[in-house]
């Protein structure tokens, strides 16, 4: 039994481990070609536009031809997610907080460029080479702390989940706004409408929220990106505050 026997076929393809040599002409297709075509479709049409027949057609092959290189649609999505994530930038720093903050913003930039990545179903923990590279970057940042492995992995998962959810939420809210309406105007209109509907006798704290200046604070010309950055930073800093407490306790 060889060492490869311990690695499932899907993981071998994910890590591009060479298959046993075969006689004959080289294959007209390979995993990289299939994944690149699928990512191109997702970038153009979103994740819902990716199907095995559509990917095959874009390459000039039948759907059955692709199954020699990807075992299933789920495996194709896993391959796409890893390839599209790319590798992390250099995040080396002695300050764990700055490092994790930069790690989160770097991941967010990837997801903002390719929002379809936030909609890829989770089929397991990170397992591809690019995803492992992102994991390595976060673990290296935390290596100078006294946190144990369970806490490091938990923090990594928490921040990653926050990044994914915040990008997905912002994207969905943007899709739901009226054409041409900015985030500042949407928040103002939301606050004014709910102020008329939320009765203090039933929802006292929520009524106080809508009667506050929060939803009127931003000028209409405030860029959507600035609002998104501020909202994202607020949530991230709250998470990092919690990490700081746990580091002090370790």
């Amino acid at each position: 039994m060889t060492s490869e026997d311990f690695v499932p076929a899907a993981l071998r393809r994910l890590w591009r481990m060479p298959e046993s040599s075969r006689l004959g002409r080289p294959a007209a297709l390979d995993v990289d070609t299939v994944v690149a075509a699928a990512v191109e479709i997702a970038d153009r049409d979103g994740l819902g536009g990716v199907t095995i027949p559509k990917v095959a057609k874009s390459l000039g092959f039948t759907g059955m031809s692709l199954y020699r290189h990807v075992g299933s649609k789920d495996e194709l999505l896993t391959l796409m997610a890893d390839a599209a994530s790319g590798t992390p930038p250099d995040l080396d720093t002695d300050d764990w907080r700055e490092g994790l903050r930069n790690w989160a913003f770097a991941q967010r930039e990837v997801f903002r460029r390719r929002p379809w990545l936030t909609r890829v179903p989770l089929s397991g923990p990170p397992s591809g080479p690019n995803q492992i590279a992102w994991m390595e970057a976060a673990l290296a940042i935390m290596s100078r702390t006294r946190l144990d492995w369970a806490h490091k992995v938990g923090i990594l998962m928490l921040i990653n989940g926050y990044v994914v959810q915040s990008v997905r939420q912002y994207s969905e809210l943007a899709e739901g706004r009226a054409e041409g309406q900015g985030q500042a105007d949407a928040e103002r209109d939301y606050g004014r409408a709910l102020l008329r509907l939320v009765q203090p006798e039933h929802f006292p704290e929520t009524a106080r929220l809508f009667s506050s200046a929060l939803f009127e604070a931003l000028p209409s010309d405030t860029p959507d990106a600035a609002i998104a950055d501020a909202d994202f930073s607020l949530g991230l800093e709250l998470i990092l505050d919690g990490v700081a407490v746990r580091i002090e306790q370790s």
Side-chain angles (χ1 to χ4, degrees):
M1 182 177 291
T2 67
S3 60
E4 288 191 7
D5 295 325
F6 293 96
V7 181
L11 274 179
R12 291 204 300 270
R13 287 189 284 268
L14 189 56
W15 284 81
R16 307 300 194 271
M17 293 176 64
E19 299 292 336
S20 301
S21 59
R22 300 172 181 171
L23 298 176
R25 294 182 301 174
L29 278 178
D30 57 28
V31 174
D32 287 326
T33 302
V34 173
V35 172
V39 168
E40 183 177 350
I41 292 173
D43 286 343
R44 184 182 67 240
D45 302 331
L47 192 63
V50 178
T51 66
I52 294 291
K54 184 178 288 188
V55 175
K57 182 178 180 180
S58 72
L59 293 169
F61 289 86
T62 65
M64 291 304 298
S65 301
L66 265 62
Y67 285 111
R68 295 183 57 191
H69 307 280
V70 294
S72 65
K73 169 71 177 295
D74 288 342
E75 183 184 337
L76 176 60
L77 294 179
T78 299
L79 288 161
M80 290 169 58
D82 190 71
S85 295
T87 55
D90 182 10
L91 300 170
D92 185 41
T93 175
D94 292 332
D95 183 341
W96 68 263
R97 188 173 188 126
E98 178 186 3
L100 288 180
R101 183 187 297 116
N102 292 341
W103 185 84
F105 269 93
Q107 278 213 325
R108 178 173 177 252
E109 184 58 31
V110 172
F111 294 136
R112 288 176 69 178
R113 289 199 310 268
R114 287 176 159 149
W116 60 265
L117 277 170
T118 67
R119 301 174 186 270
V120 176
L122 287 177
S123 57
S127 54
N130 286 338
Q131 291 175 329
I132 295 299
W134 281 96
M135 179 184 288
E136 172 66 22
L139 292 175
I141 290 166
M142 291 184 281
S143 65
R144 296 182 180 90
T145 71
R146 295 187 300 274
L147 293 168
D148 60 27
W149 288 116
H151 281 90
K152 289 176 182 177
V153 171
I155 291 166
L156 186 156
M157 293 175 61
L158 177 62
I159 295 177
N160 174 259
Y162 172 69
V163 174
V164 170
Q165 182 58 32
S166 65
V167 172
R168 180 170 180 172
Q169 184 179 60
Y170 183 81
S171 176
E172 291 175 349
L173 288 173
E175 291 171 3
R177 291 200 298 266
E179 185 176 356
Q181 185 183 45
Q183 179 68 19
D185 288 339
E187 291 186 9
R188 181 202 62 218
D189 293 348
Y190 169 73
R192 291 178 179 178
L194 269 293
L195 178 62
R196 297 184 178 91
L197 297 172
V198 177
Q199 300 301 313
E201 59 268 27
H202 297 301
F203 310 102
E205 291 304 312
T206 310
R208 289 182 61 197
L209 166 67
F210 287 116
S211 63
S212 73
L214 177 65
F215 297 100
E216 301 283 346
L218 294 173
S220 295
D221 59 355
T222 304
D224 289 354
I227 299 174
D229 287 347
D231 290 344
F232 180 80
S233 294
L234 174 60
L236 179 60
E237 293 306 318
L238 290 173
I239 293 173
L240 296 179
D241 285 346
V243 175
V245 171
R246 188 49 57 97
I247 289 177
E248 290 174 2
Q249 294 173 345
S250 63

